[in-house]
Amino acid sequence: MRLYRLRNVTPSRYSWDLRTEHQWLLPGLHCPTCDETWSGIGEAYPAVDLSELPEHGKFKARVEEDFGEFTRLRNLVRPLVPEGVPLEPGTTFGALRGRGRGNFPPLVFPTPWTLLIRGEALDALQATGLRGLRGCKTDLRLRDSNPPELLELKLEPRGLLHPDCLPRNLPPPCATCGELTFSLPTEPILEARSIPTDRDLFRLASYQTVIVGTERLVETIQRLGLDEVEVRELPTR
Ligand SMILES: [Zn+2]
């Protein structure tokens, strides 16, 4: 099965504007071991509602200096997310909030690592038997007389970059916080054995701003004429 990176088309052929943010964030972290202050980008659980958590007020854009406290907060949300996911500093939770207006394509990237879909387009895709497609409710105020229903597609972190495409001499990740910064290789290769076989859409676990779709998904999007997504094949090894 071939795999493709899905990206926004720039400039968009549609005229729209959307400013968004997720409701809650695992804080950024100042690590006591490597001394980096950092936050990942991309990891998101839009269907996970933290409002029942007594300490949900601590899940906001800020830096946690105490690694023990960071770990405690992360453990509070661990039972609410799929087993084994990274939960990096900066992971977001809850419905995407925001404001916007315009003429939206069937597929909308408010950021390159967030994918929204119009309700009728999701129905059409799901009717074809594609696997693992779930639309999560959003909280968007769209200033139009007949605004579309925009849902956020669930994108769980799965799959890894192949070591062959990574920079040579890459140091190991920090033993405490897992921090490891590198640029996405210009020719990314995916590690075949890490690729999930139970879904047609996911986020790359080792580079979470990368959204990956299967050949089946891409063919279906193109057959149904669902704008507006640019695809590039990601070889596997
Ligand atoms: Zn560290």
Side-chain angles (χ1 to χ4, degrees):
M1 174 66 69
R2 290 168 187 262
L3 296 166
Y4 295 83
R5 180 176 187 187
L6 310 185
R7 300 184 72 173
N8 50 320
V9 172
T10 51
S12 175
R13 292 182 293 265
Y14 293 67
S15 173
W16 57 273
D17 178 56
L18 198 54
R19 312 277 160 98
T20 60
E21 60 178 13
H22 284 99
Q23 199 166 358
W24 296 286
L25 292 90
L26 196 57
L29 174 67
H30 180 202
C31 175
T33 304
C34 65
D35 199 33
E36 290 289 332
T37 298
W38 70 284
S39 184
I41 300 177
E43 190 170 0
Y45 301 97
V48 172
D49 181 350
L50 302 190
S51 58
E52 298 286 307
L53 221 58
E55 296 181 88
H56 65 83
K58 292 181 177 171
F59 289 81
K60 59 184 182 186
R62 64 186 183 89
V63 174
E64 179 57 62
E65 296 283 341
D66 179 347
F67 185 70
E69 172 67 0
F70 175 82
T71 303
R72 192 182 69 80
L73 293 175
R74 178 152 66 181
N75 287 342
L76 289 177
V77 292
R78 183 66 77 189
L80 308 176
V81 298
E83 208 176 321
V85 296
L87 282 179
E88 290 184 342
T91 296
T92 63
F93 305 90
L96 194 69
R97 292 170 151 182
R99 292 171 181 277
R101 65 183 304 168
N103 173 28
F104 291 94
L107 291 162
V108 183
F109 291 82
T111 63
W113 49 87
T114 308
L115 180 52
L116 307 184
I117 187 167
R118 293 176 72 124
E120 68 274 15
L122 180 60
D123 292 343
L125 279 181
Q126 285 175 330
T128 67
L130 288 163
R131 298 157 313 156
L133 295 182
R134 175 168 171 204
C136 306
K137 267 193 299 188
T138 59
D139 182 12
L140 301 173
R141 307 281 153 81
L142 303 178
R143 280 198 296 148
D144 292 292
S145 53
N146 188 18
E149 180 192 24
L150 292 178
L151 300 160
E152 181 172 358
L153 282 165
K154 185 179 79 161
L155 296 164
E156 289 179 3
R158 294 284 190 282
L160 302 172
L161 289 167
H162 194 285
D164 287 355
C165 74
L166 296 176
R168 289 166 198 270
N169 308 322
L170 199 63
C174 170
T176 300
C177 72
E179 206 268 347
L180 177 62
T181 302
F182 60 94
S183 303
L184 183 69
T186 47
E187 302 293 337
I189 302 167
L190 304 185
E191 188 174 58
R193 63 178 179 180
S194 72
I195 301 305
T197 53
D198 63 344
R199 63 196 68 206
D200 288 299
L201 181 67
F202 54 96
R203 180 188 298 290
L204 199 57
S206 56
Y207 217 101
Q208 297 209 43
T209 51
V210 176
I211 299 174
V212 183
T214 61
E215 181 176 20
R216 188 164 36 219
L217 175 79
V218 167
E219 281 176 359
T220 308
I221 285 173
Q222 290 172 344
R223 180 165 53 79
L224 297 176
L226 301 181
D227 286 337
E228 166 178 66
V229 56
E230 182 184 290
V231 300
R232 179 185 166 193
E233 186 170 358
L234 295 166
T236 57
R237 187 176 293 172

